[in-house]
């Protein structure tokens, strides 16, 4: 029986994870559930899964959650406050941590899970992008098993032999190929994008996801983050990471070997497949996802990404080349710009402008410790916030 902690249980990945877990009560027991503010939803999940611990960030929400839990006659302990997520994941009973909080908010707890040697199912790509070297050092030092559930990286993981000790080159890998759907604006010209609304940006053609990652998919910053995620997960250089647009999202990614064999992982676009693969690894379990019906899909198509219309991929390769805190700065500026776009304070096309401008203004530092990451994150957030308020003044 695996005891599971789900960080971000009320989100899109959290709910897909619980859907898979509910199908296998003989294999998994939920030990921890966490949410940011969604009290009623978290209380309902506690009634269904009866975790030992539930965390909610907001103190007032915690009071309400305690009342709901008491009224339900549950003995779930409610934790709140800045350190509560870390306290919850490092509990000795916890075997496996599903990192499904969105953005930098997930870093401390995910890193704590890595330091504590837990098995980590990583959806929270921002944590890895912002603190890559620290995170991977923690995983290596503690012997933690890190399993990607981002669909592309999970696909690559499935296409690679599982041996941490050998480099990609020793495994005979020429490159990894990340597929990208191209998002909802794949066929729009740049000038058509100036007035798009948050709801249009969040209407992804193939995947139902949280709003931040949906905007990231529309700007293709999601693929930018995934390039850096692949760099850390698979120790792949920029030259070994390629992106191809594949609008149907049936091939989730590929690995090309030295002999030019290309191995791909296919499936319906449903996150329960990578989640089930990682939850049960190295076994395989039922995920609730329908079989792939290739005959009814008919055609799979591919395109080269257009770096002029979508500069995000170029930004990611440049950040990787710059190294150090450049990816941290890129991620922080993106989080600030996306929040401003969702709050109608920044036009869609300005999101990548703010990221590039922030990268040009904030000095890149070497990452030696977590503080280097946190300082770069803070400075980049301040810089991006100032740029956005200046843009507003200019636009007025
Ligand atoms: P979501 O917005 O649906 O859910 C986010 C979860 O994080 C919620 O439970 C929320 O309560 C919690 N949360 C948000 N801010 C928090 C904070 N400050 N402190 C504590 N908890 C907080 O997001 P999602 O779509 O489930 O994405 C989660 C992560 O998974 C992201 O990093 C995303 O990039 C990654 N991911 C998502 C998908 C997908 O299909 N949704 C696919 C691949 C990767
Ligand atoms: Mg992905």
């Amino acid at each position: 029986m695996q005891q599971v902690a789900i960080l971000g249980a009320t989100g899109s990945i959290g709910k897909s994870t619980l859907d898979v877990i509910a199908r296998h009560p003989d294999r998994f027991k939920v030990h921890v559930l966490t949410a940011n503010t969604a009290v009623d939803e978290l209380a309902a999940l506690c009634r269904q899964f009866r975790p030992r611990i539930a965390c909610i960030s907001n103190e007032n929400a915690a009071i309400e959650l305690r009342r709901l839990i008491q009224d339900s006659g549950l003995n779930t302990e409610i934790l709140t406050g800045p350190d509560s997520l870390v306290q919850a994941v490092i509990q000795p009973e916890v075997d496996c941590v599903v990192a499904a909080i969105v953005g930098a908010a997930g870093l401390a707890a995910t890193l704590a899970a890595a330091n504590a040697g837990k098995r980590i199912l990583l959806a929270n790509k921002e944590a890895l992008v912002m603190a890559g070297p620290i995170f991977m050092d923690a995983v290596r030092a503690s012997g933690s098993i890190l399993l990607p559930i981002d669909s592309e990286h999970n696909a690559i993981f499935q296409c690679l032999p599982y041996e941490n000790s050998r480099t990609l080159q020793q495994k005979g890998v020429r490159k990894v190929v990340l597929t990208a759907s191209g998002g909802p604006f794949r066929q729009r010209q740049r000038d058509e994008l100036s007035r798009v609304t948050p709801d249009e940006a969040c209407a992804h053609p193939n995947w139902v996801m949280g709003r931040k990652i949906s905007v990231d998919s529309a700007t293709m910053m999601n693929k930018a983050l995934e390039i850096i995620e692949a760099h850390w997960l698979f120790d792949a250089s920029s030259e070994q990471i390629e992106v191809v647009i594949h609008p149907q999202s049936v091939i989730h990614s590929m690995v090309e070997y030295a002999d030019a064999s290309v191995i791909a992982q296919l499936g319906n676009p449903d996150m329960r497949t990578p989640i089930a693969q990682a939850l049960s690894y190295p076994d395989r379990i039922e995920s609730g996802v329908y079989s792939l019906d290739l005959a009814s899909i008919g055609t799979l198509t591919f395109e080269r990404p257009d770096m002029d219309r979508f500069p995000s991929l170029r930004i990611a390769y440049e950040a990787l080349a710059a190294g150090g805190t450049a990816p941290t700065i890129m991620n922080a500026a993106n989080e600030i710009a996306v929040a401003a776009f969702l709050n109608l304070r920044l036009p869609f096309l300005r999101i990548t402008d703010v990221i590039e401008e922030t990268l040009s203004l904030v000095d890149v530092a070497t990452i030696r410790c977590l503080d280097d990451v946190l300082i770069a994150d803070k400075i980049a957030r301040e810089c991006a916030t100032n740029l956005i308020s200046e843009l507003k003044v200019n636009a007025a």
Side-chain angles (χ1 to χ4, degrees):
M1 182 72 80
Q2 254 195 83
Q3 300 264 5
V4 185
I6 302 172
L7 305 175
T10 53
S12 164
I13 293 288
K15 284 190 278 197
S16 293
T17 305
L18 288 167
D19 181 287
V20 177
I21 284 180
R23 293 164 194 275
H24 303 281
D26 52 321
R27 290 186 80 115
F28 307 109
K29 167 92 186 72
V30 175
H31 195 79
V32 178
L33 291 176
T34 88
N36 193 22
T37 52
V39 183
D40 291 336
E41 223 178 316
L42 186 56
L45 293 177
C46 288
R47 284 190 283 271
Q48 188 182 351
F49 291 96
R50 302 181 163 265
R52 186 62 208 86
I53 298 171
C55 301
I56 192 137
S57 311
N58 181 290
E59 308 251 349
N60 288 330
I63 296 170
E64 175 64 5
L65 184 62
R66 265 189 205 108
R67 192 185 62 75
L68 292 171
I69 293 295
Q70 245 167 25
D71 289 354
S72 311
L74 297 172
N75 67 352
T76 302
E77 186 185 349
I78 311 300
L79 301 182
T80 186
D83 209 28
S84 59
L85 294 176
V86 170
Q87 287 313 318
V89 299
I90 62 173
Q91 297 293 311
E93 297 92 335
V94 171
D95 303 303
C96 165
V97 176
V98 180
I101 289 177
V102 57
L107 174 66
T110 312
L111 193 55
N115 280 318
K118 306 293 184 188
R119 178 177 172 120
I120 301 172
L121 273 57
L122 185 74
N124 182 202
K125 62 193 91 181
E126 297 92 344
L128 183 57
V129 168
M130 67 190 289
I134 305 276
F135 193 83
M136 295 312 291
D137 280 352
V139 166
R140 274 186 290 268
S142 70
S144 160
I145 296 176
L146 179 59
L147 298 163
I149 54 178
D150 205 351
S151 59
E152 296 77 2
H153 305 74
N154 182 270
I156 291 168
F157 178 80
Q158 293 194 50
C159 297
L160 285 172
Y162 185 64
E163 297 156 77
N164 273 336
S165 52
R166 291 196 299 161
T167 63
L168 279 187
Q169 209 181 357
Q170 286 165 340
K171 289 175 184 165
V173 172
R174 198 181 269 171
K175 61 185 176 195
V176 300
V177 183
L178 295 169
T179 53
S181 68
F185 306 139
R186 177 175 61 90
Q187 289 171 312
R188 299 235 200 143
Q189 291 311 310
R190 213 174 145 75
D191 55 1
E192 294 174 89
L193 294 178
S194 56
R195 282 176 202 285
V196 298
T197 64
D199 283 347
E200 285 176 281
C202 289
H204 196 279
N206 306 338
W207 301 93
V208 181
M209 309 181 285
R211 283 172 82 77
K212 191 265 181 183
I213 183 175
S214 297
V215 176
D216 286 348
S217 297
T219 57
M220 290 202 67
M221 271 312 289
N222 183 47
K223 214 49 55 180
L225 294 166
E226 290 182 358
I227 288 171
I228 296 168
E229 186 184 10
H231 165 72
W232 290 114
L233 284 174
F234 307 116
D235 198 14
S237 66
S238 297
E239 298 73 35
Q240 288 172 314
I241 307 170
E242 193 176 295
V243 174
V244 67
I245 306 288
H246 168 47
Q248 296 80 18
S249 299
V250 167
I251 295 182
H252 298 307
S253 278
M254 302 170 251
V255 173
E256 183 181 318
Y257 285 88
D259 58 7
S261 290
V262 178
I263 305 208
Q265 186 262 348
L266 286 72
N268 286 317
D270 186 321
M271 290 306 292
R272 289 176 300 174
T273 296
I275 290 167
Q277 190 275 341
L279 274 173
S280 63
Y281 180 82
D283 297 346
R284 294 278 181 169
I285 56 170
E286 183 69 45
S287 63
V289 180
Y290 292 117
S291 291
L292 184 62
D293 183 354
L294 281 173
S296 72
I297 293 166
T299 313
L300 299 182
T301 60
F302 305 91
E303 299 160 18
R304 267 181 233 296
D306 179 343
M307 304 247 192
D308 294 328
R309 270 189 312 140
F310 297 101
S312 310
L313 301 189
R314 176 178 50 72
I315 297 174
Y317 283 115
E318 286 171 5
L320 258 189
T325 53
T328 321
I329 297 165
M330 179 189 95
N331 176 68
N334 182 50
E335 288 194 28
I336 293 292
V338 171
F341 168 68
L342 286 172
N343 290 324
L344 306 174
R345 287 187 293 108
L346 186 70
F348 180 78
L349 283 176
R350 293 289 198 169
I351 297 174
T352 44
D353 291 346
V354 167
I355 300 165
E356 284 213 272
E357 189 76 6
T358 305
L359 275 161
S360 75
L361 289 171
V362 178
D363 287 338
V364 171
T366 308
I367 297 182
R368 282 161 312 222
C369 62
L370 186 58
D371 266 354
D372 295 328
V373 172
L374 299 178
I375 290 166
D377 178 74
K378 184 167 179 285
I379 296 173
R381 279 168 199 270
E382 284 165 4
C383 177
T385 305
N386 289 338
L387 285 168
I388 292 165
S389 52
E390 280 165 26
L391 276 174
K392 240 178 112 187
V393 172
N394 291 344

